[in-house]
PDB file of all heavy atoms in Angstrom:
ATOM      1  N   ALA A 258    -155.096-118.927 -63.635  1.00  0.00           N
ATOM      2  CA  ALA A 258    -155.767-120.103 -64.200  1.00  0.00           C
ATOM      3  C   ALA A 258    -157.113-119.723 -64.802  1.00  0.00           C
ATOM      4  O   ALA A 258    -157.480-120.188 -65.897  1.00  0.00           O
ATOM      5  CB  ALA A 258    -155.953-121.164 -63.116  1.00  0.00           C
ATOM      6  N   ALA A 259    -157.871-118.873 -64.110  1.00  0.00           N
ATOM      7  CA  ALA A 259    -159.187-118.465 -64.615  1.00  0.00           C
ATOM      8  C   ALA A 259    -159.060-117.684 -65.914  1.00  0.00           C
ATOM      9  O   ALA A 259    -159.896-117.823 -66.816  1.00  0.00           O
ATOM     10  CB  ALA A 259    -159.909-117.631 -63.556  1.00  0.00           C
ATOM     11  N   ARG A 260    -158.029-116.866 -66.025  1.00  0.00           N
ATOM     12  CA  ARG A 260    -157.845-116.114 -67.271  1.00  0.00           C
ATOM     13  C   ARG A 260    -157.477-117.034 -68.436  1.00  0.00           C
ATOM     14  O   ARG A 260    -157.925-116.824 -69.561  1.00  0.00           O
ATOM     15  CB  ARG A 260    -156.755-115.048 -67.075  1.00  0.00           C
ATOM     16  CG  ARG A 260    -157.249-113.829 -66.331  1.00  0.00           C
ATOM     17  CD  ARG A 260    -156.170-112.785 -66.152  1.00  0.00           C
ATOM     18  NE  ARG A 260    -156.750-111.529 -65.677  1.00  0.00           N
ATOM     19  CZ  ARG A 260    -156.037-110.458 -65.321  1.00  0.00           C
ATOM     20  NH1 ARG A 260    -154.709-110.496 -65.387  1.00  0.00           N
ATOM     21  NH2 ARG A 260    -156.646-109.365 -64.919  1.00  0.00           N
ATOM     22  N   LEU A 261    -156.669-118.035 -68.166  1.00  0.00           N
ATOM     23  CA  LEU A 261    -156.234-118.924 -69.242  1.00  0.00           C
ATOM     24  C   LEU A 261    -157.398-119.763 -69.785  1.00  0.00           C
ATOM     25  O   LEU A 261    -157.398-120.122 -70.966  1.00  0.00           O
ATOM     26  CB  LEU A 261    -155.103-119.825 -68.752  1.00  0.00           C
ATOM     27  CG  LEU A 261    -153.755-119.118 -68.550  1.00  0.00           C
ATOM     28  CD1 LEU A 261    -152.759-120.051 -67.885  1.00  0.00           C
ATOM     29  CD2 LEU A 261    -153.187-118.605 -69.876  1.00  0.00           C
ATOM     30  N   ILE A 262    -158.379-120.088 -68.955  1.00  0.00           N
ATOM     31  CA  ILE A 262    -159.528-120.854 -69.443  1.00  0.00           C
ATOM     32  C   ILE A 262    -160.751-119.970 -69.672  1.00  0.00           C
ATOM     33  O   ILE A 262    -161.796-120.449 -70.120  1.00  0.00           O
ATOM     34  CB  ILE A 262    -159.904-121.984 -68.466  1.00  0.00           C
ATOM     35  CG1 ILE A 262    -160.416-121.417 -67.139  1.00  0.00           C
ATOM     36  CG2 ILE A 262    -158.735-122.928 -68.237  1.00  0.00           C
ATOM     37  CD1 ILE A 262    -161.017-122.457 -66.214  1.00  0.00           C
ATOM     38  N   GLY A 263    -160.598-118.680 -69.394  1.00  0.00           N
ATOM     39  CA  GLY A 263    -161.744-117.773 -69.451  1.00  0.00           C
ATOM     40  C   GLY A 263    -162.385-117.669 -70.818  1.00  0.00           C
ATOM     41  O   GLY A 263    -163.610-117.520 -70.930  1.00  0.00           O
ATOM     42  N   ASP A 264    -161.582-117.736 -71.889  1.00  0.00           N
ATOM     43  CA  ASP A 264    -162.149-117.597 -73.233  1.00  0.00           C
ATOM     44  C   ASP A 264    -163.143-118.714 -73.541  1.00  0.00           C
ATOM     45  O   ASP A 264    -164.154-118.485 -74.213  1.00  0.00           O
ATOM     46  CB  ASP A 264    -161.034-117.581 -74.282  1.00  0.00           C
ATOM     47  CG  ASP A 264    -160.237-116.288 -74.251  1.00  0.00           C
ATOM     48  OD1 ASP A 264    -160.866-115.217 -74.130  1.00  0.00           O
ATOM     49  OD2 ASP A 264    -159.007-116.346 -74.325  1.00  0.00           O
ATOM     50  N   MET A 265    -162.871-119.922 -73.073  1.00  0.00           N
ATOM     51  CA  MET A 265    -163.815-121.024 -73.295  1.00  0.00           C
ATOM     52  C   MET A 265    -165.151-120.733 -72.609  1.00  0.00           C
ATOM     53  O   MET A 265    -166.224-121.023 -73.161  1.00  0.00           O
ATOM     54  CB  MET A 265    -163.220-122.339 -72.786  1.00  0.00           C
ATOM     55  CG  MET A 265    -162.032-122.840 -73.577  1.00  0.00           C
ATOM     56  SD  MET A 265    -161.512-124.504 -73.064  1.00  0.00           S
ATOM     57  CE  MET A 265    -160.903-124.176 -71.414  1.00  0.00           C
ATOM     58  N   VAL A 266    -165.088-120.171 -71.422  1.00  0.00           N
ATOM     59  CA  VAL A 266    -166.302-119.830 -70.691  1.00  0.00           C
ATOM     60  C   VAL A 266    -167.063-118.722 -71.408  1.00  0.00           C
ATOM     61  O   VAL A 266    -168.296-118.778 -71.559  1.00  0.00           O
ATOM     62  CB  VAL A 266    -165.962-119.416 -69.248  1.00  0.00           C
ATOM     63  CG1 VAL A 266    -167.226-119.018 -68.485  1.00  0.00           C
ATOM     64  CG2 VAL A 266    -165.231-120.535 -68.521  1.00  0.00           C
ATOM     65  N   VAL A 267    -166.318-117.703 -71.874  1.00  0.00           N
ATOM     66  CA  VAL A 267    -166.961-116.586 -72.576  1.00  0.00           C
ATOM     67  C   VAL A 267    -167.623-117.068 -73.867  1.00  0.00           C
ATOM     68  O   VAL A 267    -168.737-116.654 -74.198  1.00  0.00           O
ATOM     69  CB  VAL A 267    -165.929-115.479 -72.877  1.00  0.00           C
ATOM     70  CG1 VAL A 267    -166.555-114.380 -73.737  1.00  0.00           C
ATOM     71  CG2 VAL A 267    -165.407-114.878 -71.580  1.00  0.00           C
ATOM     72  N   ARG A 268    -166.957-117.947 -74.601  1.00  0.00           N
ATOM     73  CA  ARG A 268    -167.552-118.471 -75.833  1.00  0.00           C
ATOM     74  C   ARG A 268    -168.826-119.251 -75.550  1.00  0.00           C
ATOM     75  O   ARG A 268    -169.753-119.251 -76.363  1.00  0.00           O
ATOM     76  CB  ARG A 268    -166.543-119.360 -76.557  1.00  0.00           C
ATOM     77  CG  ARG A 268    -165.346-118.623 -77.131  1.00  0.00           C
ATOM     78  CD  ARG A 268    -164.266-119.606 -77.581  1.00  0.00           C
ATOM     79  NE  ARG A 268    -162.960-118.944 -77.626  1.00  0.00           N
ATOM     80  CZ  ARG A 268    -161.806-119.573 -77.542  1.00  0.00           C
ATOM     81  NH1 ARG A 268    -161.768-120.890 -77.409  1.00  0.00           N
ATOM     82  NH2 ARG A 268    -160.672-118.904 -77.585  1.00  0.00           N
ATOM     83  N   ARG A 269    -168.883-119.909 -74.414  1.00  0.00           N
ATOM     84  CA  ARG A 269    -170.049-120.732 -74.076  1.00  0.00           C
ATOM     85  C   ARG A 269    -171.192-119.889 -73.522  1.00  0.00           C
ATOM     86  O   ARG A 269    -172.361-120.106 -73.875  1.00  0.00           O
ATOM     87  CB  ARG A 269    -169.638-121.798 -73.046  1.00  0.00           C
ATOM     88  CG  ARG A 269    -170.777-122.661 -72.532  1.00  0.00           C
ATOM     89  CD  ARG A 269    -171.335-123.556 -73.623  1.00  0.00           C
ATOM     90  NE  ARG A 269    -172.395-124.420 -73.101  1.00  0.00           N
ATOM     91  CZ  ARG A 269    -173.660-124.053 -72.956  1.00  0.00           C
ATOM     92  NH1 ARG A 269    -174.035-122.820 -73.298  1.00  0.00           N
ATOM     93  NH2 ARG A 269    -174.558-124.906 -72.491  1.00  0.00           N
ATOM     94  N   PHE A 270    -170.892-118.920 -72.670  1.00  0.00           N
ATOM     95  CA  PHE A 270    -171.943-118.202 -71.960  1.00  0.00           C
ATOM     96  C   PHE A 270    -172.050-116.726 -72.327  1.00  0.00           C
ATOM     97  O   PHE A 270    -173.034-116.081 -71.956  1.00  0.00           O
ATOM     98  CB  PHE A 270    -171.731-118.330 -70.443  1.00  0.00           C
ATOM     99  CG  PHE A 270    -171.789-119.741 -69.941  1.00  0.00           C
ATOM    100  CD1 PHE A 270    -170.638-120.420 -69.604  1.00  0.00           C
ATOM    101  CD2 PHE A 270    -173.004-120.388 -69.831  1.00  0.00           C
ATOM    102  CE1 PHE A 270    -170.693-121.729 -69.143  1.00  0.00           C
ATOM    103  CE2 PHE A 270    -173.078-121.696 -69.370  1.00  0.00           C
ATOM    104  CZ  PHE A 270    -171.912-122.372 -69.032  1.00  0.00           C
ATOM    105  N   GLY A 271    -171.042-116.164 -73.019  1.00  0.00           N
ATOM    106  CA  GLY A 271    -171.071-114.751 -73.355  1.00  0.00           C
ATOM    107  C   GLY A 271    -170.480-113.895 -72.248  1.00  0.00           C
ATOM    108  O   GLY A 271    -170.404-114.321 -71.087  1.00  0.00           O
ATOM    109  N   PRO A 272    -170.064-112.661 -72.575  1.00  0.00           N
ATOM    110  CA  PRO A 272    -169.392-111.815 -71.582  1.00  0.00           C
ATOM    111  C   PRO A 272    -170.277-111.395 -70.419  1.00  0.00           C
ATOM    112  O   PRO A 272    -169.818-111.299 -69.285  1.00  0.00           O
ATOM    113  CB  PRO A 272    -168.924-110.597 -72.400  1.00  0.00           C
ATOM    114  CG  PRO A 272    -169.785-110.597 -73.618  1.00  0.00           C
ATOM    115  CD  PRO A 272    -170.096-112.031 -73.905  1.00  0.00           C
ATOM    116  N   VAL A 273    -171.560-111.142 -70.676  1.00  0.00           N
ATOM    117  CA  VAL A 273    -172.424-110.645 -69.608  1.00  0.00           C
ATOM    118  C   VAL A 273    -172.625-111.703 -68.533  1.00  0.00           C
ATOM    119  O   VAL A 273    -172.421-111.454 -67.329  1.00  0.00           O
ATOM    120  CB  VAL A 273    -173.782-110.186 -70.175  1.00  0.00           C
ATOM    121  CG1 VAL A 273    -174.725-109.807 -69.030  1.00  0.00           C
ATOM    122  CG2 VAL A 273    -173.594-108.989 -71.097  1.00  0.00           C
ATOM    123  N   ARG A 274    -173.017-112.908 -68.933  1.00  0.00           N
ATOM    124  CA  ARG A 274    -173.236-113.967 -67.942  1.00  0.00           C
ATOM    125  C   ARG A 274    -171.936-114.382 -67.267  1.00  0.00           C
ATOM    126  O   ARG A 274    -171.932-114.738 -66.074  1.00  0.00           O
ATOM    127  CB  ARG A 274    -173.907-115.165 -68.606  1.00  0.00           C
ATOM    128  CG  ARG A 274    -175.396-114.958 -68.859  1.00  0.00           C
ATOM    129  CD  ARG A 274    -176.094-116.247 -69.230  1.00  0.00           C
ATOM    130  NE  ARG A 274    -175.787-116.651 -70.599  1.00  0.00           N
ATOM    131  CZ  ARG A 274    -176.227-117.773 -71.160  1.00  0.00           C
ATOM    132  NH1 ARG A 274    -176.975-118.619 -70.458  1.00  0.00           N
ATOM    133  NH2 ARG A 274    -175.922-118.057 -72.409  1.00  0.00           N
ATOM    134  N   THR A 275    -170.817-114.316 -68.012  1.00  0.00           N
ATOM    135  CA  THR A 275    -169.530-114.664 -67.412  1.00  0.00           C
ATOM    136  C   THR A 275    -169.152-113.681 -66.310  1.00  0.00           C
ATOM    137  O   THR A 275    -168.755-114.084 -65.205  1.00  0.00           O
ATOM    138  CB  THR A 275    -168.427-114.690 -68.486  1.00  0.00           C
ATOM    139  OG1 THR A 275    -168.764-115.657 -69.486  1.00  0.00           O
ATOM    140  CG2 THR A 275    -167.081-115.042 -67.873  1.00  0.00           C
ATOM    141  N   VAL A 276    -169.285-112.382 -66.586  1.00  0.00           N
ATOM    142  CA  VAL A 276    -168.943-111.369 -65.584  1.00  0.00           C
ATOM    143  C   VAL A 276    -169.932-111.401 -64.425  1.00  0.00           C
ATOM    144  O   VAL A 276    -169.557-111.222 -63.260  1.00  0.00           O
ATOM    145  CB  VAL A 276    -168.880-109.968 -66.229  1.00  0.00           C
ATOM    146  CG1 VAL A 276    -168.764-108.884 -65.164  1.00  0.00           C
ATOM    147  CG2 VAL A 276    -167.692-109.889 -67.181  1.00  0.00           C
ATOM    148  N   ARG A 277    -171.209-111.652 -64.740  1.00  0.00           N
ATOM    149  CA  ARG A 277    -172.195-111.734 -63.660  1.00  0.00           C
ATOM    150  C   ARG A 277    -171.872-112.889 -62.710  1.00  0.00           C
ATOM    151  O   ARG A 277    -171.911-112.738 -61.481  1.00  0.00           O
ATOM    152  CB  ARG A 277    -173.591-111.898 -64.261  1.00  0.00           C
ATOM    153  CG  ARG A 277    -174.718-111.820 -63.241  1.00  0.00           C
ATOM    154  CD  ARG A 277    -176.044-111.568 -63.926  1.00  0.00           C
ATOM    155  NE  ARG A 277    -176.134-110.194 -64.407  1.00  0.00           N
ATOM    156  CZ  ARG A 277    -176.699-109.833 -65.564  1.00  0.00           C
ATOM    157  NH1 ARG A 277    -177.202-110.749 -66.370  1.00  0.00           N
ATOM    158  NH2 ARG A 277    -176.759-108.568 -65.896  1.00  0.00           N
ATOM    159  N   ALA A 278    -171.544-114.046 -63.286  1.00  0.00           N
ATOM    160  CA  ALA A 278    -171.162-115.187 -62.450  1.00  0.00           C
ATOM    161  C   ALA A 278    -169.888-114.890 -61.671  1.00  0.00           C
ATOM    162  O   ALA A 278    -169.768-115.238 -60.484  1.00  0.00           O
ATOM    163  CB  ALA A 278    -170.972-116.430 -63.317  1.00  0.00           C
ATOM    164  N   GLY A 279    -168.916-114.217 -62.332  1.00  0.00           N
ATOM    165  CA  GLY A 279    -167.696-113.825 -61.642  1.00  0.00           C
ATOM    166  C   GLY A 279    -167.978-112.886 -60.489  1.00  0.00           C
ATOM    167  O   GLY A 279    -167.359-112.991 -59.418  1.00  0.00           O
ATOM    168  N   GLY A 280    -168.924-111.963 -60.691  1.00  0.00           N
ATOM    169  CA  GLY A 280    -169.299-111.058 -59.615  1.00  0.00           C
ATOM    170  C   GLY A 280    -169.866-111.789 -58.411  1.00  0.00           C
ATOM    171  O   GLY A 280    -169.549-111.471 -57.261  1.00  0.00           O
ATOM    172  N   PHE A 281    -170.708-112.800 -58.681  1.00  0.00           N
ATOM    173  CA  PHE A 281    -171.258-113.595 -57.578  1.00  0.00           C
ATOM    174  C   PHE A 281    -170.151-114.350 -56.840  1.00  0.00           C
ATOM    175  O   PHE A 281    -170.144-114.430 -55.606  1.00  0.00           O
ATOM    176  CB  PHE A 281    -172.307-114.571 -58.099  1.00  0.00           C
ATOM    177  CG  PHE A 281    -173.621-113.924 -58.446  1.00  0.00           C
ATOM    178  CD1 PHE A 281    -174.211-114.132 -59.683  1.00  0.00           C
ATOM    179  CD2 PHE A 281    -174.271-113.105 -57.532  1.00  0.00           C
ATOM    180  CE1 PHE A 281    -175.416-113.537 -60.001  1.00  0.00           C
ATOM    181  CE2 PHE A 281    -175.489-112.499 -57.840  1.00  0.00           C
ATOM    182  CZ  PHE A 281    -176.063-112.717 -59.081  1.00  0.00           C
ATOM    183  N   LEU A 282    -169.193-114.929 -57.621  1.00  0.00           N
ATOM    184  CA  LEU A 282    -168.091-115.658 -56.986  1.00  0.00           C
ATOM    185  C   LEU A 282    -167.229-114.723 -56.145  1.00  0.00           C
ATOM    186  O   LEU A 282    -166.840-115.058 -55.019  1.00  0.00           O
ATOM    187  CB  LEU A 282    -167.227-116.338 -58.052  1.00  0.00           C
ATOM    188  CG  LEU A 282    -167.794-117.600 -58.696  1.00  0.00           C
ATOM    189  CD1 LEU A 282    -166.873-118.075 -59.822  1.00  0.00           C
ATOM    190  CD2 LEU A 282    -167.951-118.707 -57.656  1.00  0.00           C
TER     191      LEU A 282
END
Side-chain angles (χ1 to χ4, degrees):
R260 282 180 169 174
L261 288 172
I262 66 170
D264 288 317
M265 292 188 293
V266 178
V267 174
R268 292 169 202 157
R269 176 67 178 83
F270 298 104
V273 174
R274 283 193 285 177
T275 300
V276 170
R277 187 163 287 142
F281 285 128
L282 284 175

